[in-house]
Amino acid sequence: MTTHEYDVVVVGAGTSGCYAAATAASAGLDVVVLERKDEQEAGHIACGDALKGADEFPEAIPKSKIDAAFTNTDVDHGRFEIPQEDVVLEIPVPGELAVIDRWEYGRRIIQGAKDAGAEFHYDTVVQDVLQPNGQVEGVRGKRKDEAVEYRAPVTIDGAGSLSVLQDYADLDDATFDTNVRYSQFCSAYREIVRVEEEVPWKDALVFKPTKRAAGYLWYFPRTGTEINAGLGFQMTEQPMQLVEDLKADLRTRPEFRNAVVEDKLGAALPTRRPYDSAVAPGFMAVGDAAGHVNPTTGGGIAGAAYAGKYAAEAAIEAIGEGDVSEGALWEYNERVMDHFGARYAGLDVYNILSTAVDVDDLMGLLASLPTTKLSEALYAGTTDVGLWLKLKTAFRSLGYWDVIYTFYKAKREADRLIDHYADYPARPDDFADWQTHRDDIMDRVYVATGAEPKY
Ligand SMILES: Cc1cc2nc3c(=O)[nH]c(=O)nc-3n(C[C@H](O)[C@H](O)[C@H](O)COP(=O)(O)OP(=O)(O)OC[C@H]3O[C@@H](n4cnc5c(N)ncnc54)[C@H](O)[C@@H]3O)c2cc1C
């Protein structure tokens, strides 16, 4: 057994792990990133490759170092294809958008974290956490056939969806969110497809509902001729045949005639509110490992980058003070909730709603809504529909009154939830009361939407 000692151990060389490592290493801490893949494969991650907020990434890895992976910066809107209604909605997307070459981006953020001073140990599979007295003090695993142990005052879990570290750690006495089930995840699959002629929607992210509810197909143009084509479904539903369903849709689209598949990958992603707390003594979870994904779009890259930064900054301070207790790391939770956590919790209400509403009704309603309001709702978690718009929408939406009313009730609860997250506690002692009140709001969400509880 070889034992290594560092200030911070980061598990996972994805976006969250690289930004955490770069931030901590830039402050002069000794940081190691443990990655189960080999050096060549590291950074190759299942993704739709759409990047929202591309202009405002954390500085620890300067944008100039990842720019070259942004292969399409001409995208500026969503194109929602609704075959049930024979409608195509072109919806503006607020903020800067790009479609990226995800593997190239993955390699570049690893290089960025290395440039900041972090070490990378590849081929290293973490198989346990060191937790002799409640506090996490590092991890244990295998590097090729060798047993390895990494000791550090702070361990950052950036191991992605359904992280195994959280199975190994005993988190029962911590505030750390262990209320995690498959029904809060989406199973998704994507192919990189090369087409012969430039697609007519090179400036758009194309979305299309799958035949059954709670799933969608996407076509995101990395370039005019290289398309990320994929689909996913909420794991509350009966499993879809992801590969076959994607193939079936590709066959219906003339743009993909004679197309060549260059790469295939699939994975699970969280489509839930962020973890209520992602800290335990000596331990923080970031990115997918803490549910930091927009639950309506599945976008998780930007949240992962910021979570990495915030966790590392909490670690720097806590290590400097010689106190890595939950209270000392707590500011990390607050910063996540303040930046995007409250918004994602609000958006989760619409995700819950989508599991309970008939897909044809939902699509019919979407087709009749004002597109700018739809765009606000999708990204902000709330939208203020003025009276005239309400009337106009109602007039165009005759036949969807039930769904509109359910939407209205869901929106009321989503707004209530967002307000409650604005009062996220400033210390662990007040956490249980905050959670109880939040759970009351969630009960109302389930009543309002008629959905099966997923928490
Ligand atoms: C099909 C699909 C499409 C998506 N599309 C988009 C999109 O278009 N836009 C967007 O913004 N987001 C998208 N997402 C979500 C986005 O990819 C994630 O939110 C983001 O990659 C999360 O980064 P992360 O660093 O938290 O985790 P990951 O990127 O998953 O990184 C985790 C790393 O940990 C390593 N690891 C795991 N377990 C261990 C272990 N035991 N030991 C050592 N290493 C380990 C893994 O090998 C991996 O390198 C998509 C996700 C999927 C699955």
Side-chain angles (χ1 to χ4, degrees), residues 5-21:
E5 303 228 352
Y6 286 88
D7 295 322
V8 178
V9 171
V10 177
V11 183
T15 300
S16 59
C18 287
Y19 275 88

Side-chain angles (χ1 to χ4, degrees), residues 11-17 34-37 45-50 102 124-126 158-160 164-165 188-190 218 220 267-269 286-289 293 298-302 304:
V11 183
T15 300
S16 59
L34 309 179
E35 172 55 53
R36 64 183 170 189
K37 295 177 183 166
I45 286 176
C47 191
D49 301 344
R102 185 64 183 76
T124 307
V125 185
V126 171
V164 290
L165 270 75
Y189 168 77
R190 70 95 175 104
W218 70 80
F220 296 165
L269 73 154
V286 289
D288 280 13
V293 174
I301 297 176

Side-chain angles (χ1 to χ4, degrees), residues 13-274:
T15 300
S16 59
C18 287
Y19 275 88
T23 307
S26 299
L29 297 189
D30 286 336
V31 182
V32 68
V33 180
L34 309 179
E35 172 55 53
R36 64 183 170 189
K37 295 177 183 166
D38 63 24
E39 184 165 5
Q40 164 70 18
E41 189 66 15
H44 188 202
I45 286 176
C47 191
D49 301 344
L51 185 51
K52 188 165 176 309
D55 52 336
E56 13 172 90
F57 256 47
E59 267 305 304
I61 302 172
K63 186 158 174 270
S64 57
K65 294 201 174 180
I66 51 175
D67 256 351
F70 293 18
T71 45
N72 184 358
T73 50
D74 292 339
V75 277
D76 60 7
H77 68 284
R79 178 186 155 91
F80 286 70
E81 298 181 355
I82 307 182
Q84 292 94 325
E85 301 288 320
D86 201 17
V87 160
V88 174
L89 299 175
E90 308 272 357
I91 297 179
V93 176
E96 182 125 339
L97 269 187
V99 184
I100 60 177
D101 177 333
R102 185 64 183 76
W103 201 350
E104 183 57 26
Y105 159 86
R107 284 191 278 258
R108 284 174 175 267
I109 55 172
I110 289 172
Q111 190 56 47
K114 282 183 184 167
D115 293 347
E119 285 179 38
F120 280 71
H121 290 189
Y122 301 103
D123 304 296
T124 307
V125 185
V126 171
Q127 295 172 316
D128 206 354
V129 299
L130 305 173
Q131 197 180 13
N133 298 306
Q135 179 172 320
V136 174
E137 295 181 4
V139 296
R140 189 177 285 136
K142 277 225 163 126
R143 186 172 195 191
K144 300 202 169 152
D145 284 332
E146 186 199 0
V148 281
E149 196 173 83
Y150 291 83
R151 299 190 157 274
V154 172
T155 299
I156 297 182
D157 175 6
S161 275
L162 298 160
S163 163
V164 290
L165 270 75
Q166 295 163 33
D167 295 337
Y168 303 136
D170 180 356
L171 298 162
D172 287 348
D173 293 332
T175 55
F176 195 95
D177 198 338
T178 53
N179 183 6
V180 181
R181 299 182 216 148
Y182 285 104
S183 57
Q184 303 157 2
F185 288 77
C186 174
S187 177
Y189 168 77
R190 70 95 175 104
E191 294 180 351
I192 305 300
V193 186
R194 184 162 296 278
V195 293
E196 287 178 339
E197 281 178 33
E198 190 163 283
V199 292
W201 31 262
K202 190 196 163 212
D203 57 351
L205 300 178
V206 179
F207 298 88
K208 184 177 171 184
T210 51
K211 289 207 180 76
R212 279 196 282 118
Y216 71 82
L217 289 138
W218 70 80
Y219 295 101
F220 296 165
R222 273 188 178 183
T223 67
T225 52
E226 193 179 43
I227 315 299
N228 182 314
L231 79 173
F233 70 95
Q234 190 73 29
M235 287 203 237
T236 42
E237 301 290 309
Q238 287 298 312
M240 282 172 53
Q241 302 299 315
L242 290 173
V243 180
E244 288 312 312
D245 285 7
L246 178 62
K247 267 193 197 150
D249 202 67
L250 283 168
R251 276 196 294 269
T252 66
R253 305 183 73 99
E255 312 97 291
F256 288 93
R257 205 167 28 227
N258 300 327
V260 176
V261 177
E262 296 178 334
D263 190 35
K264 303 174 178 186
L265 276 181
L269 73 154
T271 38
R272 48 158 288 156
R273 65 181 181 228

Side-chain angles (χ1 to χ4, degrees), residues 351-364:
N351 193 38
I352 289 169
L353 172 73
S354 74
T355 64
V357 174
D358 180 81
V359 70
D360 288 334
D361 284 350
L362 192 59
M363 291 307 133

